[in-house]
Amino acid sequence: MQELKDIIRDVSDFPKKGIVFKDITTLLGDAKSYQQMIDLMSHRYIGKKIDKVVGVEARGFIIGAALAYKLGAGVVLVRKPGKLPFSTFKKTYDLEYGTDTLEIHTDAIKPGENILIADDVLATGGTMGAVVDMVQNLGGNLYECCFMAELEFLHGRKKLPDGKVFSLLKF
Ligand code: AMP
């Protein structure tokens, strides 16, 4: 696990001063690490009857799609506004400064389906909190929110349902 942590690159002052950005492209670009990361994450959900994995634009797609393939589940995209062609359910949520909006197709999840949500990094939890709302609004049964990495000092999991958060690597 330490090897996987070590391969993630820290970039200081990105996207703005004072933020240390966890650059996961270094892990994704290393064949062995990427495979190991997906194997370790998917192992947790094998046999759990996950119907669909929701990926959050854009880095969540890279993890969500690979997990879905491993689990024999469908892939659902949560995208930035204006990208999805069919009717959408929109959710606007607070960021540190200002707000952001995400969209999901209204028919992407059927009531009662078992849903896993995937993203790369859990920071403040605002993004994942919005995605959880979207999934629940469509009637999905949230199995878990999973992240490749969690920035524990930001306490993002407090914004998410109790006991439904998993992160592979903790910083
Ligand atoms: P959050 O604050 O949890 O809503 O984070 C929003 C999104 O921004 C997540 O999907 C992360 O991919 C990304 N993010 C936030 N902070 C960082 C960080 N320090 N390093 C890398 N990604 C981050």
Side-chain angles (χ1 to χ4, degrees):
M1 223 58 97
Q2 191 59 44
E3 268 176 42
L4 285 178
K5 280 177 78 170
D6 289 345
I7 201 169
I8 294 176
R9 173 167 57 197
D10 281 354
V11 181
S12 297
D13 299 322
F14 182 89
K16 53 187 178 212
K17 214 169 168 42
I19 291 179
V20 179
F21 194 82
K22 292 287 173 200
D23 178 14
I24 65 158
T25 62
T26 43
L27 186 152
L28 298 177
D30 181 71
K32 195 167 145 260
S33 299
Y34 179 59
Q35 190 170 51
Q36 200 179 5
M37 181 266 288
I38 294 296
D39 283 349
L40 286 168
M41 288 181 79
S42 61
H43 191 74
R44 182 174 171 86
Y45 304 108
I46 287 168
K48 304 296 181 196
K49 297 190 164 63
I50 303 296
D51 294 304
K52 286 171 180 165
V53 183
V54 174
V56 187
E57 184 164 357
R59 282 164 300 205
F61 294 168
I62 301 161
I63 297 164
L67 290 179
Y69 183 82
K70 283 281 227 180
L71 297 172
V75 181
V76 171
L77 307 184
V78 164
R79 299 210 62 183
K80 302 201 168 121
K83 303 280 190 188
L84 289 171
F86 188 63
S87 74
T88 62
F89 177 81
K90 293 183 184 50
K91 178 83 191 173
T92 297
Y93 60 100
D94 290 329
L95 294 173
E96 200 179 347
Y97 300 103
T99 63
D100 217 342
T101 300
L102 287 170
E103 290 188 316
I104 189 169
H105 274 151
T106 49
D107 64 350
I109 292 171
K110 302 203 174 20
E113 280 185 328
N114 221 13
I115 304 297
L116 176 67
I117 313 176
D119 204 358
D120 64 333
V121 174
L122 172 60
T124 66
T127 306
M128 187 54 83
V131 180
V132 167
D133 273 4
M134 296 166 100
V135 165
Q136 290 177 337
N137 249 284
L138 294 183
N141 170 49
L142 176 68
Y143 185 81
E144 201 159 70
C145 306
C146 70
F147 301 88
M148 188 173 83
E150 175 176 2
L151 307 180
E152 290 187 295
F153 56 93
L154 293 174
H155 307 294
R157 60 169 67 220
K158 283 193 183 153
K159 289 208 186 105
L160 303 174
D162 253 4
K164 302 238 169 182
V165 182
F166 169 75
S167 56
L168 184 67
L169 311 171
K170 294 178 199 307
F171 291 91

Short mmCIF file of all heavy atoms in Angstrom, two decimals, residues 19-23 59 93 95 119-128 151, ligand 1:
data_model
loop_
_atom_site.label_atom_id
_atom_site.label_comp_id
_atom_site.label_asym_id
_atom_site.label_seq_id
_atom_site.Cartn_x
_atom_site.Cartn_y
_atom_site.Cartn_z
N ILE A 19 -2.86 24.85 -1.82
CA ILE A 19 -3.39 23.49 -1.98
C ILE A 19 -2.28 22.55 -2.45
O ILE A 19 -1.52 22.89 -3.36
CB ILE A 19 -4.58 23.48 -2.97
CG1 ILE A 19 -5.77 24.20 -2.32
CG2 ILE A 19 -4.95 22.04 -3.37
CD1 ILE A 19 -7.00 24.30 -3.17
N VAL A 20 -2.17 21.40 -1.78
CA VAL A 20 -1.24 20.37 -2.25
C VAL A 20 -2.10 19.37 -3.02
O VAL A 20 -2.91 18.64 -2.45
CB VAL A 20 -0.53 19.66 -1.08
CG1 VAL A 20 0.39 18.58 -1.61
CG2 VAL A 20 0.23 20.68 -0.25
N PHE A 21 -1.93 19.34 -4.34
CA PHE A 21 -2.76 18.51 -5.21
C PHE A 21 -2.17 17.11 -5.32
O PHE A 21 -0.98 16.94 -5.58
CB PHE A 21 -2.85 19.16 -6.59
CG PHE A 21 -3.93 18.58 -7.46
CD1 PHE A 21 -5.25 18.98 -7.33
CD2 PHE A 21 -3.62 17.60 -8.41
CE1 PHE A 21 -6.25 18.43 -8.12
CE2 PHE A 21 -4.61 17.05 -9.20
CZ PHE A 21 -5.93 17.46 -9.06
N LYS A 22 -3.02 16.11 -5.12
CA LYS A 22 -2.59 14.72 -5.28
C LYS A 22 -2.72 14.37 -6.76
O LYS A 22 -3.83 14.16 -7.26
CB LYS A 22 -3.47 13.78 -4.44
CG LYS A 22 -3.29 13.97 -2.95
CD LYS A 22 -1.96 13.39 -2.50
CE LYS A 22 -1.67 13.71 -1.04
NZ LYS A 22 -0.25 13.59 -0.71
N ASP A 23 -1.61 14.33 -7.44
CA ASP A 23 -1.60 14.06 -8.89
C ASP A 23 -1.52 12.55 -9.12
O ASP A 23 -0.46 11.94 -9.00
CB ASP A 23 -0.40 14.77 -9.51
CG ASP A 23 -0.28 14.50 -11.00
OD1 ASP A 23 -1.26 13.99 -11.60
OD2 ASP A 23 0.79 14.78 -11.56
N ARG A 59 -11.92 12.06 -13.39
CA ARG A 59 -11.02 10.99 -12.95
C ARG A 59 -11.77 9.79 -12.37
O ARG A 59 -11.26 8.67 -12.38
CB ARG A 59 -9.99 11.54 -11.96
CG ARG A 59 -8.88 12.31 -12.66
CD ARG A 59 -8.14 13.13 -11.68
NE ARG A 59 -9.05 14.07 -11.06
CZ ARG A 59 -8.70 15.22 -10.53
NH1 ARG A 59 -7.47 15.57 -10.51
NH2 ARG A 59 -9.61 16.02 -10.01
N TYR A 93 -24.18 22.15 -5.75
CA TYR A 93 -23.64 22.01 -4.39
C TYR A 93 -22.57 23.06 -4.13
O TYR A 93 -22.03 23.66 -5.07
CB TYR A 93 -23.08 20.59 -4.18
CG TYR A 93 -21.97 20.21 -5.14
CD1 TYR A 93 -20.64 20.28 -4.74
CD2 TYR A 93 -22.26 19.81 -6.43
CE1 TYR A 93 -19.62 19.94 -5.61
CE2 TYR A 93 -21.24 19.47 -7.32
CZ TYR A 93 -19.92 19.54 -6.89
OH TYR A 93 -18.92 19.22 -7.76
N LEU A 95 -19.06 24.76 -3.05
CA LEU A 95 -17.61 24.54 -3.03
C LEU A 95 -17.04 25.52 -2.01
O LEU A 95 -17.78 26.31 -1.42
CB LEU A 95 -17.02 24.87 -4.40
CG LEU A 95 -17.42 23.97 -5.56
CD1 LEU A 95 -16.88 24.55 -6.84
CD2 LEU A 95 -16.86 22.58 -5.34
N ASP A 119 -14.76 7.62 -7.11
CA ASP A 119 -14.03 8.83 -7.49
C ASP A 119 -12.57 8.65 -7.09
O ASP A 119 -12.23 7.71 -6.38
CB ASP A 119 -14.66 10.07 -6.83
CG ASP A 119 -14.35 11.35 -7.61
OD1 ASP A 119 -13.62 11.29 -8.64
OD2 ASP A 119 -14.83 12.42 -7.21
N ASP A 120 -11.72 9.56 -7.55
CA ASP A 120 -10.30 9.39 -7.26
C ASP A 120 -9.94 9.81 -5.85
O ASP A 120 -9.36 9.04 -5.09
CB ASP A 120 -9.42 10.10 -8.31
CG ASP A 120 -9.59 11.60 -8.31
OD1 ASP A 120 -10.67 12.10 -7.92
OD2 ASP A 120 -8.64 12.31 -8.71
N VAL A 121 -10.31 11.05 -5.48
CA VAL A 121 -9.85 11.60 -4.21
C VAL A 121 -11.04 12.13 -3.40
O VAL A 121 -11.87 12.88 -3.93
CB VAL A 121 -8.84 12.76 -4.46
CG1 VAL A 121 -8.47 13.44 -3.15
CG2 VAL A 121 -7.58 12.23 -5.15
N LEU A 122 -11.12 11.75 -2.12
CA LEU A 122 -12.09 12.35 -1.20
C LEU A 122 -11.39 13.50 -0.50
O LEU A 122 -10.44 13.29 0.25
CB LEU A 122 -12.58 11.32 -0.17
CG LEU A 122 -13.45 11.86 0.98
CD1 LEU A 122 -14.72 12.52 0.46
CD2 LEU A 122 -13.81 10.74 1.96
N ALA A 123 -11.84 14.73 -0.81
CA ALA A 123 -11.26 15.92 -0.16
C ALA A 123 -12.29 16.42 0.86
O ALA A 123 -12.46 15.82 1.90
CB ALA A 123 -10.88 16.94 -1.21
N THR A 124 -13.04 17.47 0.54
CA THR A 124 -14.01 18.00 1.51
C THR A 124 -15.31 17.19 1.52
O THR A 124 -16.14 17.37 2.41
CB THR A 124 -14.37 19.46 1.19
OG1 THR A 124 -15.08 19.49 -0.06
CG2 THR A 124 -13.13 20.33 1.11
N GLY A 125 -15.52 16.37 0.51
CA GLY A 125 -16.72 15.53 0.47
C GLY A 125 -17.91 16.18 -0.21
O GLY A 125 -18.96 15.53 -0.38
N GLY A 126 -17.78 17.43 -0.61
CA GLY A 126 -18.91 18.13 -1.25
C GLY A 126 -19.37 17.46 -2.53
O GLY A 126 -20.58 17.28 -2.76
N THR A 127 -18.43 17.07 -3.36
CA THR A 127 -18.77 16.44 -4.64
C THR A 127 -19.49 15.12 -4.42
O THR A 127 -20.57 14.88 -4.96
CB THR A 127 -17.49 16.21 -5.47
OG1 THR A 127 -16.79 17.44 -5.58
CG2 THR A 127 -17.82 15.66 -6.85
N MET A 128 -18.91 14.26 -3.59
CA MET A 128 -19.51 12.94 -3.37
C MET A 128 -20.86 13.07 -2.67
O MET A 128 -21.79 12.31 -2.97
CB MET A 128 -18.55 12.04 -2.59
CG MET A 128 -19.00 10.62 -2.46
SD MET A 128 -19.40 9.80 -4.04
CE MET A 128 -17.80 9.26 -4.61
N LEU A 151 -8.11 12.35 1.76
CA LEU A 151 -7.34 13.35 2.51
C LEU A 151 -8.03 13.49 3.86
O LEU A 151 -8.98 14.25 4.02
CB LEU A 151 -7.32 14.69 1.74
CG LEU A 151 -6.85 14.59 0.29
CD1 LEU A 151 -6.87 15.95 -0.40
CD2 LEU A 151 -5.45 13.98 0.21
P1 AMP B 1 -14.26 17.46 -2.72
O1 AMP B 1 -13.66 18.60 -1.97
O2 AMP B 1 -14.23 16.18 -1.92
O3 AMP B 1 -15.63 17.80 -3.22
O4 AMP B 1 -13.32 17.21 -3.97
C1 AMP B 1 -13.73 17.51 -5.24
C2 AMP B 1 -12.90 16.87 -6.30
O5 AMP B 1 -11.71 17.59 -6.42
C3 AMP B 1 -12.57 15.42 -6.07
O6 AMP B 1 -13.24 14.66 -7.05
C4 AMP B 1 -11.09 15.33 -6.26
O7 AMP B 1 -10.82 14.65 -7.47
C5 AMP B 1 -10.61 16.75 -6.43
N1 AMP B 1 -9.69 17.20 -5.40
C6 AMP B 1 -9.97 18.04 -4.37
N2 AMP B 1 -8.89 18.31 -3.66
C7 AMP B 1 -7.88 17.62 -4.22
C8 AMP B 1 -6.49 17.46 -3.93
N3 AMP B 1 -5.89 18.08 -2.90
N4 AMP B 1 -5.77 16.66 -4.72
C9 AMP B 1 -6.36 16.02 -5.75
N5 AMP B 1 -7.64 16.14 -6.09
C10 AMP B 1 -8.40 16.92 -5.32
#
